[in-house]
Amino acid sequence: GEGDFPGAIDGVKRLLVDEPSDLDALLTLGNLYSLTGRISEARDTFGQALQREPLCVEARIFGGVAAMQAGSLAEARSELAKALFLEPTLAIGHYLLAQVQERTQDFESARRSYRNAVAQLKYPQRPLAGHYPEMLDSAESISRAARYALAALEEQPG
């Protein structure tokens, strides 16, 4: 549960002292900061991941999630768009982008992005580096969530 996050942060930080270039650990640390509301630390950590690996899709995906949690929806949209530019077949990226578009009342784009998420699931999805507790991770769960969201949006005018 959430009570474990401070301990988890310490554990991952210790790991990074021994293995400073461990991208998995860096991404996980960023996510733990994000989940505990330490958004500027999350941003810094994803920035470090991008310095090490400039084309790191996960740093953009998770950075987008952190921005979304902070209510910085323009930043979230920008990060997720960069992830999808690098990896257009990543269903979770389309799904998360749809969530941002929905929160900005851009229902037309949200519907398109949810449909893209479902369509990309025809292709094998790779597991993301780093760990994000409660992130939709199976094709099945992404598909179900996207279809539900799409059905709800069909009720919306426009």
Side-chain angles (χ1 to χ4, degrees), residues 70-149:
S72 308
L73 298 179
E75 181 192 351
R77 194 169 49 234
S78 159
E79 289 297 294
L80 293 166
K82 286 171 186 166
L84 288 168
F85 176 78
L86 293 169
E87 193 169 344
T89 57
L90 197 61
I92 189 68
H94 291 283
Y95 176 82
L96 292 168
L97 181 59
Q99 299 250 287
V100 174
Q101 290 162 333
E102 209 175 326
R103 280 174 62 177
T104 57
Q105 312 285 298
D106 185 357
F107 297 122
E108 193 49 50
S109 298
R111 279 195 280 268
R112 186 167 58 244
S113 293
Y114 283 128
R115 286 192 202 104
N116 284 339
V118 173
Q120 295 309 327
L121 290 168
K122 292 194 297 260
Y123 306 102
Q125 299 291 309
R126 66 178 182 84
L128 296 179
H131 177 63
Y132 189 100
E134 280 103 67
M135 172 79 75
L136 296 170
D137 57 355
S138 70
E140 195 182 325
S141 60
I142 296 168
S143 174
R144 192 181 318 119
R147 287 171 201 275
Y148 278 138

Side-chain angles (χ1 to χ4, degrees), residues 29-57:
L29 181 61
N31 289 336
L32 289 166
Y33 282 142
S34 168
L35 284 161
T36 50
R38 295 162 70 175
I39 298 299
S40 69
E41 284 153 297
R43 276 198 189 97
D44 288 349
T45 305
F46 295 130
Q48 288 172 43
L50 287 165
Q51 275 169 1
R52 278 163 213 187
E53 189 55 71
L55 301 181
C56 181
V57 168

